[in-house]
Amino acid sequence: MAYVEGTGIGPYEGAKVQVMSSGRVSVVTGVGTQGQGHFTSFAQIVAEQIGVSVDKIDVITGDTDQFYWGAGTFASRGAVVAGNAINEAAKVVRKKIFKLASEHFNAPEDELELEDGFIRVQDIPQQSISLGELAGMANPTRGAVKPGTEPGLEATNYFGPERGATASGIHAMILEVNPETMQIKIQKYLVVHDCGKIINPLILDGQIHGGVAQGIGNAFYEHLKYDENGQLLNATFMDYHLPTSLEVPRIETGHGETLSPLNPMGVKGAGEAGAIPVGPLFAQALEDALHDVDFEILEIPINSNRLWEIVSGK
C-alpha cells in the first residue's frame, strides 16, 4: 500500500538560540511536544551548527513564558517548521561566534574551527577560547555596542513554509487468518518511508513503529460501541480492545532520503507515516487471505465478529 503525506504546513514557528556564559546552549521554541523526541532532535540540529555536544544543550518547548509565538504540533510539522526555525537561528549564532572569535584572535574566519564547545585557530591549539568565555566577551561591561551589532551570542528566527513538504512511502504485510474463528496473526510487517533528511534514525523508527501500532488498533481492534440511546458501551479498557505487544509484530523499516526543496534542511514530516496506510492495507490483506470467498471490505474498524459477518454475507 503506497501513500503520500502532506507534512510541515504553516503558518510558521519560531525559535531562539543562545550561548550562555556557562558554555551551555539554550534553545526555546513555541511548538509543543508530546513525546515525539523533539528535545533530542532539536538539540542535534543546534549541535551540528554550533559545535557543542547534545548534552550541553537545553531545549524548552511550548512555554509561552519563554517564547511567545507559535502555532502548535500537528500535521507532522515539528521537524519541518520548528526544526528549520531552530536551524536558521543557530546559523546566525554560528556566524556571530566566528566573527567575534576572528576579532579576538586577529585571524581570518576561514582559519578558525569550531568543535567541542571551543573555537580555535587551525593548527594553533593554544589560540583557543571556549564558547562560554566568548559569550561573556559578547556582552561588554564597558564601551558601547558597535552600530549594526548586538550584545550576546543569540538569535531569534522564524520559518513559515509557503506550502507543505510531501513525504511518501509504502507498507506491506503478511497476514494469517483462521477461517473458522476469523482470528488474525500478522506474520510480517514492512515499512519504507521517505521523510527527506533524517535527523535521528532511532526516533524516526520509533515514530513509525508507534504509528503502525495505532493503525493496527484502528483497523482491527478498536471500536466505540453505542446503544440505541447513544450511550457508550465500552468506555473502559476492560471492554475497549487496544493492541498490545502480542498483537503488534516486529516492524521492519527502511528509509529513503530524498531532500525536500521546500525548506533549507530538506526535511519532511514523519509523525503520521506509520498510521496512514494501515487501514486499507489491512482490508487488502484480509481479502487476499480469504481469496476463496467473494467479498469486499469497505469499512474499518473491523474485528473478528464483523469479519465473519462480512464473509458470511450477513
Side-chain angles (χ1 to χ4, degrees), residues 7-296:
T7 75
I9 61 174
Y12 69 91
E13 289 296 338
K16 178 181 179 181
V17 176
Q18 180 179 12
V19 179
M20 315 298 286
S21 59
S22 64
R24 299 190 67 82
V25 178
S26 169
V27 181
V28 187
T29 180
V31 73
T33 187
Q34 301 93 24
Q36 298 94 328
H38 287 164
F39 297 105
T40 301
S41 298
F42 292 164
Q44 285 183 249
I45 292 170
V46 174
E48 185 174 335
Q49 292 292 346
I50 297 184
V52 297
S53 59
V54 171
D55 64 327
K56 297 290 181 62
I57 300 174
D58 302 311
V59 179
I60 297 175
T61 66
D63 186 344
T64 54
D65 183 54
Q66 300 293 321
F67 197 89
Y68 305 141
W69 304 104
T73 301
F74 54 90
S76 299
R77 66 191 297 275
V80 180
V81 189
N84 273 283
I86 291 168
N87 188 56
E88 294 305 305
K91 283 182 180 179
V92 174
V93 174
R94 178 184 176 90
K95 289 180 180 178
K96 290 183 176 182
I97 290 170
F98 273 86
K99 186 176 187 302
L100 186 58
S102 174
E103 295 172 356
H104 174 68
F105 291 123
N106 194 27
E109 292 185 23
D110 59 5
E111 293 182 8
L112 302 177
E113 58 184 9
L114 180 59
E115 187 179 16
D116 295 331
F118 287 82
I119 187 165
R120 60 180 65 87
V121 180
Q122 296 174 7
D123 303 322
I124 309 178
Q126 62 270 26
Q127 286 196 286
S128 173
I129 187 171
S130 72
L131 294 186
E133 292 178 86
L134 199 66
M137 292 173 53
N139 183 24
T141 56
R142 295 182 181 179
V145 175
K146 297 178 182 178
T149 67
E150 57 188 13
L153 296 179
E154 63 181 65
T156 298
N157 208 293
Y158 293 86
F159 178 72
E162 293 185 7
R163 54 189 180 275
T166 302
S168 59
I170 187 167
H171 287 212
M173 72 172 168
I174 299 174
L175 181 69
E176 183 180 277
V177 183
N178 185 320
E180 295 183 358
T181 65
M182 296 300 168
Q183 293 293 312
I184 66 153
K185 183 174 180 60
I186 302 173
Q187 301 288 355
K188 189 172 185 178
Y189 203 105
L190 174 67
V191 179
V192 177
H193 180 67
D194 188 335
C195 65
K197 179 182 178 180
I198 297 173
I199 299 171
N200 186 301
L202 186 61
I203 288 176
L204 176 58
D205 280 349
Q207 288 212 342
I208 291 175
H209 292 179
V212 170
Q214 290 180 322
I216 290 172
N218 179 61
F220 199 77
Y221 295 101
E222 301 177 49
H223 182 230
L224 294 173
K225 188 173 181 61
Y226 298 88
D227 66 16
E228 63 276 7
N229 298 315
Q231 177 64 45
L232 182 62
L233 299 178
N234 57 342
T236 73
F237 290 131
M238 288 289 290
D239 308 302
Y240 186 87
H241 190 185
L242 287 170
T244 69
S245 58
L246 298 177
E247 288 80 33
V248 178
R250 185 175 297 277
I251 301 163
E252 298 180 32
T253 55
H255 302 289
E257 202 166 357
T258 306
L259 302 187
S260 171
L262 302 177
N263 60 78
M265 291 178 62
V267 294
K268 309 170 188 175
E272 297 157 84
I276 288 174
V278 182
L281 176 63
F282 231 99
Q284 287 185 351
L286 289 170
E287 291 170 2
D288 184 70
L290 299 167
H291 60 273
D292 292 337
V293 184
D294 184 18
F295 74 104
E296 185 178 12

Side-chain angles (χ1 to χ4, degrees), residues 297-313:
I297 295 176
L298 299 175
E299 63 186 76
I300 57 169
I302 196 169
N303 55 32
S304 296
N305 290 340
R306 181 60 184 142
L307 180 59
W308 186 87
E309 291 174 351
I310 293 173
V311 171
S312 302

